Amino acid sequence: MMGLWGALLFFFIGMWLCQIYFTLRQVKHYRQSIDEMKQQRAGFLGVGVQKNRLSIGSVVILTTPPDGSITRCKRMTGVTVFATFKEVPELIGKKLEDCYPATPVTPEEKALQIAIQQIDLQRKQLQRAKTAFPSTTAMEGDAKSIPT
């Protein structure tokens, strides 16, 4: 009887170690994909993650230049640690506004919505930063009008 318990314990420990290995492998793949997408010189990167406890999860990574057209899109969908990122060519070249799901239902749509919201937030922050600091040429004009 002890041999059966030992075998079961050994089996579960082995499965746990396999899960740790494949999880680390998936995290490495995720980081490599993010780093690869960051290589775009100018623009924005948005990552959307939709994961429920016991259902299919989805991760979407988007890159856009400042004009808001999608230049790269990768999606990872699945339940297991064997899921990998795949290119999504049908979104390339489209504007963010055209891809925004009105009522997201699937995990992919929800992750896409989150990624687009992240990029929109970055674009708004950049616009606020540009308007918060006037250009030096505008300031020079004001300085010239002051009599000395």
Side-chain angles (χ1 to χ4, degrees), residues 30-109:
Y30 172 81
R31 287 184 181 158
Q32 285 175 340
S33 295
I34 293 287
D35 289 342
E36 176 187 326
M37 301 278 281
K38 282 182 182 178
Q39 298 304 315
Q40 180 173 311
R41 293 203 183 273
F44 307 98
L45 174 78
V47 180
V49 178
Q50 175 61 37
K51 175 72 174 114
N52 294 331
R53 190 79 173 134
L54 295 173
S55 68
I56 294 175
S58 187
V59 178
V60 173
I61 307 172
L62 295 175
T63 58
T64 66
D67 72 352
S69 61
I70 298 173
T71 54
R72 297 269 319 263
C73 180
K74 286 188 172 188
R75 175 176 51 215
M76 177 172 60
T77 301
V79 180
T80 68
V81 293
F82 298 112
T84 59
F85 280 102
K86 294 176 180 63
E87 294 282 343
V88 184
E90 59 267 16
L91 294 179
I92 309 271
K94 292 186 177 181
K95 292 284 191 186
L96 288 175
E97 298 79 25
D98 299 336
C99 299
Y100 195 83
T103 54
V105 178
T106 65
E108 294 91 353
E109 290 174 340

Side-chain angles (χ1 to χ4, degrees), residues 125-135:
Q125 287 173 344
L126 182 65
Q127 287 296 345
R128 271 190 252 134
K130 284 183 178 179
T131 58
F133 299 106
S135 69

